[in-house]
Amino acid sequence: MLKQKITLKHIAKELEVSISTVSKALKNSEEISRDTKEKIQAFAKLYNYKPNNIAISLKNKRTKNIGVVIPDIVHHFFTTVVRGIEKFANTKGYNVIVCLSDESFDKEVINMEMLANGSIDGFIMSLSSETQYKDDYNHLKEVTEQGIPLVLFDRVTNQVDCDRIIIDDQMGAYMATKKLIDEGRKKIALITTKNYLSVSKARTEGYMKALRDNNMEINSELILKMSSMNMEEELFKTFFDNTEVDAVLSVNEIFAISGMRYIKQKGKRIPEDISFIGFTDGLLSKYANPSLTAIAQHGEKMGEMAAEMLIQKVESENDEETYKTKILEPTLIERDSTIN
Amino acid sequence: MLKQKITLKHIAKELEVSISTVSKALKNSEEISRDTKEKIQAFAKLYNYKPNNIAISLKNKRTKNIGVVIPDIVHHFFTTVVRGIEKFANTKGYNVIVCLSDESFDKEVINMEMLANGSIDGFIMSLSSETQYKDDYNHLKEVTEQGIPLVLFDRVTNQVDCDRIIIDDQMGAYMATKKLIDEGRKKIALITTKNYLSVSKARTEGYMKALRDNNMEINSELILKMSSMNMEEELFKTFFDNTEVDAVLSVNEIFAISGMRYIKQKGKRIPEDISFIGFTDGLLSKYANPSLTAIAQHGEKMGEMAAEMLIQKVESENDEETYKTKILEPTLIERDSTIN
DNA sequence: TTGTACGCGTTATCAC
DNA sequence: GTGATAACGCGTACAA
C-alpha cells in the first residue's frame, strides 16, 4: 500500500483546478477565494502534502544544506563541533551533510567536489592532516571562487579567502605551561605531533613563549614529537625512561593518559611527582584516574559560531569580500593531575 | 571574480549548438559527430563543467543521500556507526545527512519529516530514548508507507516494517555474566538504565539468564537502575555502600568507570576484590585504570552493514515486502578489570 | 478569482 | 547528426 508522495499536480487534478491555484492556495494567497482555499487546504492536509525539497532547491538555488567536512568523526572534539553546527543549523532550517576526509587529501577533494555540485549552500570544514602537510588548498580555492561560502575551523589555513574560527591554541598552551611553572615545575615536557598540523605548531609556540617569559630554558630534549595520533609505545617509554621530567603538557588526551599510566607504573605519583595537563577536554580527561587537568576547546560553541557565520554569509545578498577570523579563548579545567 | 557554475545551457549558447547536443556529447553518445563531441568536451573540461546534483535528483527522483538520525553524536558507539555508514555509502556514491534527535521524540519527528520530503533516498536510524519510552512509531510508519526504505540499528522496534540490525545484547550480557561466574563471583551486580530502552532490557535478560543457567539466585538488590545516562552520584554511592558486591556488569562505560573509581576510593582492589565489565568498548574502557574488560559492539561494522542493507533496498527495483533482521555477535574484550 | 506560461538544470524521446 | 520538446515539482509574473 504505497502512499505515493502527493504533489501539487495530483491535488490540482483531483480538485479540477490548475497547479498554480493550488500552489497559491497553499500559501494562503489573497488572490484565491476563501472557498477554493479551504477546499484545497483541507485536501492537502488530508493527504499530508509537503512540498518537495529538491524541486524547491532547484528553483531557489538554495538547498538549505550545509556541507561539513572533517578528518574524523570518532573523535570527541570534532564530534562536539558537529553537534554545535547541527544545533544551530537546525534552528535555521538547515540540514547537515557530514563527510569524512579520514585525514586524506584525496578524500577531502572528492567529498568537496561531490557536495559543491549543487548539494550544499556552504561548507564548514577542518583540514585533514595530509592537506596541511601538502599545503595544497586549490580545492578550497575552487569552491570559494564559485562563490560558495566556506568557514574553516580549528585546522585552518590563511591561504584561502574565507571565514575562520579557531581557539587560541597558543594561549591555551601558554596558560597550561604557566600553570605548571607556577606550581614550581622546572622540567616541563611537551608531547606533541609533527609541526605541519597548525594546532600543534601554535601549541608548541605557546609552550615556548611561556618558558621564555619566565626565564626558563627551552630544552629540546623535553619535547617529544610523535609522528601520528597512534601511540608509539617504544618512543614513549624511551622518552620517560631517559628524560627527567616533573610536568607534562600534551597536545591531546591520549598522549596524556598514556603518559600518566606509564608514569604511575614506574611508581611515581601524580600530581606530587609529576603534573599532567592535556589538550582537549574530553571524556578521557574527566574520567581518568587521576582526572586530567585539561584545556577546553569549546567545540560545541565553535560549531554553533561556525554555523552562524556560514549561514549569515549564505543568506546575505551582498557578497562583500570581507572575511573574519574569530578566536575563541580556551579554558583551563583544573582537575587532579595538577596541584591546585 | 565569481566563476559562476557553468551549465549545459551556457555551453550550448557559447558553442552555438543545442542543449541536448551538449548533453549527449558529454555522455559520449554515438549520435554526435566526433568533431562536435571533441569541441564540446574540451570546452566543458576547460570550464570545469559538472552536472548539477539537484537537477539530476529532481529528474531521477534519486538524491543519492542517506538520512541518518541518531540520538547523540558525542557518543563513541554512534560515532563509530556513522563512520561505518559513511565509509560504505561513499564507495557507492552516496552522501550522509546526519540529524540528531538529542533523545527527543519531537526532534526525531521533525528531522524525519524534513528529510522525507525528497532530501534522501532512505533512512538509517537508532531510536531516541523518548521514542522508545512513548512507544510511538507513527513517524516511522509514515515514512515506510511512502516507500522510503528504513534500516533501524541498535535501538530498534519491531512495530515497524523495516530492516533491522542489532547486536545480540542478551548474548553480550550473558557472556559477560558467565565470565564473572566462571571467575567464582557470587554477588554480581548489574548497573543498568530504565527498561524502556530496548538494549537495556535485552542486557538485563542476558544477565538474568546467565545467573539462572548457573543456578544462581537473582537478587533484585543487586540490580541498580539509573534513570538517565547522567550520573546520579548519590544513588551510586548508596548502592555500593550498602550492597555487598564482588563483580559488576554495567550497561555502559560511564557507569563502569565511575563505579571503579568509587570502589578504588573505598580501598578495594580491582579485579582482586571486585571485577568489572562494561558494555560498549570505547576509549574509556581502553584507557581506564585498570583497563576495563568490555563487550564490543562492533559499531563500524554495524554501520557498514546498515548502509549496505539500505542501499540495496534503495537500488532494488522490486519493492518486495521482505524485511530482515541481522544480529551481530558481540565480543568480550578481556582487559585488566577482570581476572583472566 | 483563476489559469497560462516560463524557468530552475538535466535527460530522454522523437522529429528533422 | 542535431535539435526541439516534454518532464521532474514548484513558484511566480502575467494574462484572462
Side-chain angles (χ1 to χ4, degrees):
Chain A
M1 189 208 65
L2 275 194
K3 251 205 308 193
Q4 258 299 338
K5 200 79 188 162
I6 197 170
T7 69
L8 290 186
K9 194 197 267 187
H10 295 138
I11 303 183
K13 194 163 155 198
E14 204 65 31
L15 264 40
E16 297 181 307
V17 290
S18 78
I19 295 180
S20 54
T21 303
V22 178
S23 173
K24 287 171 188 164
L26 292 178
K27 312 201 90 184
N28 232 327
S29 160
E30 292 305 326
E31 295 179 36
I32 309 295
S33 74
R34 264 265 287 278
D35 277 8
T36 331
K37 275 201 285 194
E38 280 175 4
K39 193 176 58 177
I40 292 177
Q41 286 172 2
F43 188 91
K45 185 160 191 183
L46 179 63
Y47 285 93
N48 192 27
Y49 169 79
K50 292 281 169 51
N52 180 305
N53 291 334
I54 299 292
I56 292 181
S57 294
L58 184 58
K59 179 134 247 293
N60 298 346
K61 300 184 157 212
R62 277 288 190 71
T63 62
K64 286 257 177 185
N65 286 156
I66 293 177
V68 174
V69 184
I70 52 178
D72 185 10
I73 194 156
V74 186
H75 187 299
H76 186 265
F77 172 68
F78 288 127
T79 255
T80 55
V81 175
V82 171
R83 182 200 260 168
I85 294 173
E86 227 274 340
K87 198 167 161 188
F88 188 89
N90 246 356
T91 68
K92 298 291 182 182
Y94 283 75
N95 281 124
V96 174
I97 301 185
V98 174
C99 287
L100 310 181
S101 65
D102 210 8
E103 302 288 8
S104 142
F105 176 82
D106 290 340
K107 283 199 195 169
E108 195 173 281
V109 172
I110 290 170
N111 280 323
M112 291 194 72
E113 281 181 353
M114 276 193 73
L115 295 182
N117 298 322
S119 298
I120 48 91
D121 295 339
F123 282 105
I124 296 178
M125 67 182 294
S126 193
L127 298 167
S128 80
S129 59
E130 199 186 349
T131 303
Q132 292 207 319
Y133 179 68
K134 295 180 72 163
D135 206 30
D136 179 348
Y137 309 106
N138 285 308
H139 51 308
L140 304 195
K141 287 175 191 161
E142 280 192 10
V143 156
T144 54
E145 280 170 6
Q146 281 171 36
I148 303 179
L150 165 65
V151 176
L152 289 179
F153 73 88
D154 197 54
R155 277 146 68 159
V156 308
T157 174
N158 47 32
Q159 294 184 40
V160 180
D161 290 332
C162 65
D163 287 334
R164 269 172 286 271
I165 177 161
I166 52 178
I167 62 151
D168 191 333
D169 280 291
Q170 186 176 332
M171 179 195 283
Y174 190 96
M175 285 162 54
T177 309
K178 184 67 167 44
K179 155 84 182 156
L180 296 171
I181 293 170
D182 290 346
E183 273 184 5
R185 303 300 180 177
K186 300 298 180 198
K187 288 161 187 155
I188 305 174
L190 173 70
I191 308 181
T192 180
T193 59
K194 300 288 186 195
N195 263 349
Y196 56 82
L197 273 181
S198 54
V199 297
S200 299
K201 196 169 160 210
R203 289 168 190 175
T204 303
E205 281 163 6
Y207 161 83
M208 297 204 286
K209 185 164 188 303
L211 293 181
R212 274 197 307 270
D213 285 359
N214 291 274
N215 302 311
M216 289 175 66
E217 201 184 333
I218 293 170
N219 181 350
S220 65
E221 283 177 13
L222 286 173
I223 300 180
L224 172 61
K225 291 194 188 185
M226 309 291 278
S227 76
S228 79
M229 283 309 195
N230 303 321
M231 291 299 305
E232 291 143 70
E233 286 291 339
E234 283 317 307
L235 219 65
F236 220 73
K237 291 181 177 170
T238 311
F239 178 80
F240 281 112
D241 287 346
N242 300 318
T243 319
E244 210 180 321
V245 161
D246 59 11
V248 175
L249 170 61
S250 162
V251 297
N252 65 43
E253 280 186 307
I254 307 267
F255 293 166
I257 299 287
S258 307
M260 291 206 297
R261 166 179 291 196
Y262 188 61
I263 287 297
K264 281 196 293 188
Q265 199 175 305
K266 287 176 64 108
K268 298 204 180 167
R269 294 163 306 162
I270 303 169
E272 293 81 355
D273 302 326
I274 302 190
S275 286
F276 275 83
I277 299 183
F279 260 89
T280 309
D281 176 43
L283 277 186
L284 285 179
S285 303
K286 190 169 171 191
Y287 290 103
N289 194 348
S291 58
L292 179 65
T293 293
I295 299 142
Q297 303 196 73
H298 309 298
E300 191 160 342
K301 183 72 190 160
M302 201 167 196
E304 286 176 38
M305 290 178 68
E308 184 175 6
M309 290 165 85
L310 185 73
I311 291 176
Q312 193 268 323
K313 265 284 196 307
V314 165
E315 296 186 344
S316 81
E317 304 304 323
N318 56 341
D319 28 29
E320 6 127 9
E321 302 249 333
T322 71
Y323 302 105
K324 40 188 179 317
T325 296
K326 293 203 180 176
I327 302 178
L328 293 182
E329 290 197 3
T331 309
L332 192 68
I333 313 276
E334 298 196 26
R335 297 211 179 84
D336 301 337
S337 66
T338 49
I339 298 167
N340 68 21
Chain B
M1 191 206 69
L2 276 193
K3 250 202 311 191
Q4 259 300 338
K5 200 83 187 159
I6 196 170
T7 70
L8 290 185
K9 195 197 268 189
H10 295 140
I11 302 183
K13 193 163 154 198
E14 204 65 31
L15 265 42
E16 297 180 306
V17 291
S18 76
I19 294 180
S20 43
T21 302
V22 177
S23 174
K24 286 171 187 163
L26 291 179
K27 313 200 93 183
N28 232 327
S29 160
E30 291 305 325
E31 293 179 42
I32 308 297
S33 74
R34 263 265 288 277
D35 277 7
T36 329
K37 276 201 284 194
E38 282 175 2
K39 192 176 56 174
I40 293 177
Q41 288 171 0
F43 189 91
K45 185 158 188 183
L46 179 62
Y47 286 93
N48 192 29
Y49 169 79
K50 293 281 169 49
N52 179 306
N53 291 333
I54 300 290
I56 292 181
S57 293
L58 183 59
K59 183 124 242 299
N60 297 347
K61 300 181 157 216
R62 280 287 191 71
T63 63
K64 286 262 180 179
N65 285 155
I66 293 177
V68 174
V69 184
I70 52 178
D72 185 11
I73 193 154
V74 186
H75 187 301
H76 186 265
F77 172 68
F78 288 127
T79 256
T80 56
V81 175
V82 171
R83 182 201 258 167
I85 294 173
E86 227 274 341
K87 198 167 159 186
F88 188 88
N90 247 355
T91 67
K92 298 290 182 182
Y94 283 75
N95 280 123
V96 174
I97 299 186
V98 173
C99 286
L100 310 180
S101 65
D102 209 9
E103 302 287 9
S104 144
F105 175 82
D106 290 339
K107 282 199 198 170
E108 194 173 283
V109 173
I110 290 171
N111 280 324
M112 291 192 73
E113 281 181 354
M114 274 193 74
L115 295 182
N117 298 321
S119 298
I120 50 89
D121 295 339
F123 282 105
I124 296 178
M125 66 182 295
S126 192
L127 298 167
S128 81
S129 59
E130 199 186 350
T131 303
Q132 292 207 318
Y133 178 67
K134 296 181 72 161
D135 207 30
D136 179 349
Y137 308 106
N138 285 308
H139 52 307
L140 304 194
K141 286 174 192 160
E142 279 191 13
V143 156
T144 55
E145 280 169 6
Q146 282 172 34
I148 303 179
L150 165 66
V151 177
L152 289 179
F153 73 88
D154 197 55
R155 279 146 66 159
V156 308
T157 175
N158 48 32
Q159 294 184 40
V160 180
D161 291 333
C162 65
D163 287 335
R164 269 172 288 269
I165 178 159
I166 51 178
I167 64 153
D168 192 334
D169 280 292
Q170 186 176 332
M171 179 195 282
Y174 191 96
M175 286 163 53
T177 310
K178 183 69 166 47
K179 156 82 183 159
L180 296 171
I181 294 170
D182 290 348
E183 273 184 6
R185 303 299 179 177
K186 301 298 179 198
K187 290 161 185 152
I188 304 175
L190 173 69
I191 307 181
T192 180
T193 58
K194 301 286 184 196
N195 262 350
Y196 56 82
L197 272 181
S198 56
V199 297
S200 298
K201 196 169 162 206
R203 289 168 191 176
T204 302
E205 282 163 6
Y207 161 83
M208 298 204 285
K209 185 165 190 302
L211 292 181
R212 276 196 306 270
D213 286 359
N214 291 274
N215 302 312
M216 289 173 66
E217 200 184 334
I218 292 171
N219 181 350
S220 64
E221 283 177 12
L222 285 174
I223 300 180
L224 172 61
K225 291 194 188 183
M226 309 290 279
S227 75
S228 78
M229 284 307 193
N230 303 320
M231 290 299 305
E232 291 143 71
E233 285 291 339
E234 283 316 307
L235 219 67
F236 219 74
K237 291 181 176 171
T238 312
F239 179 79
F240 281 113
D241 286 346
N242 300 319
T243 321
E244 211 181 319
V245 160
D246 60 10
V248 174
L249 171 60
S250 162
V251 297
N252 64 44
E253 279 186 307
I254 307 267
F255 294 167
I257 299 286
S258 307
M260 290 206 296
R261 166 180 291 196
Y262 189 61
I263 287 297
K264 279 196 293 186
Q265 198 175 305
K266 287 175 64 108
K268 298 203 180 168
R269 294 163 306 162
I270 304 169
E272 293 81 355
D273 303 326
I274 304 190
S275 285
F276 274 84
I277 300 184
F279 261 88
T280 308
D281 177 43
L283 277 187
L284 284 179
S285 303
K286 191 168 169 193
Y287 291 103
N289 193 350
S291 58
L292 178 66
T293 293
I295 299 141
Q297 303 197 73
H298 308 299
E300 190 160 344
K301 181 75 189 157
M302 201 168 197
E304 284 175 39
M305 290 177 68
E308 184 174 8
M309 290 165 87
L310 184 73
I311 291 175
Q312 193 269 323
K313 266 282 195 310
V314 166
E315 297 187 344
S316 81
E317 305 303 323
N318 55 341
D319 29 27
E320 4 126 11
E321 301 249 334
T322 71
Y323 302 104
K324 41 189 179 317
T325 296
K326 294 205 179 174
I327 302 178
L328 293 183
E329 291 197 2
T331 310
L332 192 67
I333 313 276
E334 300 196 25
R335 297 212 178 83
D336 301 337
S337 65
T338 49
I339 298 166
N340 70 18

